[in-house]
Amino acid sequence: MAQNIFRGLGIALVTPFNHDGSVDYDSLERLVDYQLNNGADFLCILATTGETPCLTTEEKLNIKSKIVRQVAGRVPILMGCGGNNTAAVVQELREGDFAGIDGVLSVCPYYNKPSQEGLYRHFKAIAGATDLPVVLYNVPGRTGILMKAETTCRLAADCDNIVAIKEASGSLELVDEIIKNKPADFEIISGDDALTYPMVACGAVGVISVIGNALPKEFSRMIRLEFNNEYAAARRIHHKFTDLYSLLFVDGNPAGVKALLHEMGFIHNVLRLPLVPTRVTTVQKMSEILKGLKL
């Protein structure tokens, strides 16, 4: 079985835009440097937080190529490649440009609401279409379908290159069931910033983080403390961010973290429709918390 290399702090990278709506490649470069210099262990690009459904094919290729060149092998890169048309995803994996990419993140099919057998066959086909490691992504709040623990473990057992799952179901019970029944080499990655502390305590190997875009150093430190069994110190960092976790998502993702990054001077607070910037009142609350953190 292939080994999972996506451990520690992974960043669900945003896509910065200029005021005219075009991709802001200069800000993207600064943001990637900020992650690499402040504790990021891997990058997750062209996924949900990157507003990928609203990017053109050319923009996605440019973003991927620029990040690969900039990272230059310093950390692994996980790239989103999923959808609700199995044949189209398989074709993309077989014909797309994955040079410099270390693995693919593939979300559960959305809207169609397949059965558990449909989910199994979908991901088995995806795993068979690539030699790259595959990280499953279970996020029922976005897809409308929950992948059960038994389906996850079945895929992990039957597909050598399915190496991990990004779990964003919000259920610690489901996470614990996967950890209890999974193959030894298969791993769990948190897909929920607010649950990262308890998930790592339960056996998850890291997080693909939204808040890490803005605060990678402290969030990375929390995870490393847990890896060293220093749970009390890690919990103090977790509690510092409790209010911020909810504010980042109250007006949708990535609206919250883009507003936070704008407050920090990294990017313009611009999203592509149908997403819109977070409310002024939310921004004010986040700004107050940011000042109080004194990071």
Side-chain angles (χ1 to χ4, degrees), residues 85-103:
N85 179 341
T86 308
V89 180
V90 166
Q91 182 177 7
E92 182 179 356
L93 286 167
R94 288 176 175 163
E95 300 177 3
D97 177 12
F98 291 88
I101 298 301
D102 300 289

Side-chain angles (χ1 to χ4, degrees), residues 160-193:
D160 287 343
N161 61 331
I162 292 182
V163 298
I165 185 167
K166 178 184 176 183
E167 250 302 330
S169 64
S171 170
L172 291 175
E173 182 180 3
L174 184 145
V175 168
D176 194 52
E177 188 177 349
I178 295 172
I179 291 171
K180 177 183 176 182
N181 296 306
K182 70 180 181 63
D185 291 334
F186 183 79
E187 295 182 327
I188 315 297
I189 304 167
S190 172
D192 187 332
D193 286 333

Side-chain angles (χ1 to χ4, degrees), residues 109-218:
Y110 39 83
Y111 191 75
N112 316 49
K113 300 187 78 171
S115 66
Q116 295 300 304
E117 181 64 24
L119 289 172
Y120 172 81
R121 295 189 190 187
H122 172 82
F123 284 120
K124 189 172 183 181
I126 285 171
T130 180
D131 293 328
L132 287 169
V134 175
V135 177
L136 309 174
Y137 183 14
N138 189 27
V139 57
R142 285 185 176 272
T143 63
I145 187 73
L146 172 73
M147 185 154 66
K148 294 181 180 179
E150 62 189 84
T151 304
T152 299
C153 292
R154 182 185 174 196
L155 284 162
D158 291 354
C159 304
D160 287 343
N161 61 331
I162 292 182
V163 298
I165 185 167
K166 178 184 176 183
E167 250 302 330
S169 64
S171 170
L172 291 175
E173 182 180 3
L174 184 145
V175 168
D176 194 52
E177 188 177 349
I178 295 172
I179 291 171
K180 177 183 176 182
N181 296 306
K182 70 180 181 63
D185 291 334
F186 183 79
E187 295 182 327
I188 315 297
I189 304 167
S190 172
D192 187 332
D193 286 333
L195 291 181
T196 296
Y197 174 82
M199 283 182 65
V200 172
C202 287
V205 299
V207 62
I208 297 175
S209 173
V210 174
I211 197 173
N213 278 278
L215 304 170
K217 196 169 188 177
E218 278 294 288

Side-chain angles (χ1 to χ4, degrees), residues 3 41 74 128 210-211 215 240 269 294:
Q3 298 295 309
D41 296 298
R74 286 178 285 176
V210 174
I211 197 173
L215 304 170
K240 281 184 182 180
N269 191 16
K294 299 179 180 178

Side-chain angles (χ1 to χ4, degrees), residues 9-10 54 65 77 80 107 120 122 158 168 183 208-209 211 223 229 254:
L9 176 63
C54 297
S65 297
I77 300 175
V107 69
Y120 172 81
H122 172 82
D158 291 354
I208 297 175
S209 173
I211 197 173
I223 295 167
N229 297 319

Side-chain angles (χ1 to χ4, degrees), residues 20-146:
D20 64 2
S22 61
V23 177
D24 183 353
Y25 292 104
D26 291 338
S27 292
L28 179 63
E29 183 176 347
R30 288 194 296 271
L31 191 59
V32 170
D33 276 340
Y34 176 61
Q35 308 305 330
L36 296 177
N37 293 330
N38 285 279
D41 296 298
F42 65 96
L43 301 180
C44 180
I45 68 171
L46 297 176
T48 307
T49 305
E51 297 176 70
T52 307
C54 297
L55 297 174
T56 67
T57 299
E58 182 180 7
E59 287 171 334
K60 286 186 278 189
L61 287 171
N62 286 339
I63 289 167
K64 175 259 180 189
S65 297
K66 288 178 182 295
I67 292 174
V68 166
R69 285 198 301 270
Q70 185 178 353
V71 171
R74 286 178 285 176
V75 298
I77 300 175
L78 182 67
M79 188 168 84
C81 183
N84 60 347
N85 179 341
T86 308
V89 180
V90 166
Q91 182 177 7
E92 182 179 356
L93 286 167
R94 288 176 175 163
E95 300 177 3
D97 177 12
F98 291 88
I101 298 301
D102 300 289
V104 294
L105 176 72
S106 199
V107 69
C108 284
Y110 39 83
Y111 191 75
N112 316 49
K113 300 187 78 171
S115 66
Q116 295 300 304
E117 181 64 24
L119 289 172
Y120 172 81
R121 295 189 190 187
H122 172 82
F123 284 120
K124 189 172 183 181
I126 285 171
T130 180
D131 293 328
L132 287 169
V134 175
V135 177
L136 309 174
Y137 183 14
N138 189 27
V139 57
R142 285 185 176 272
T143 63
I145 187 73
L146 172 73

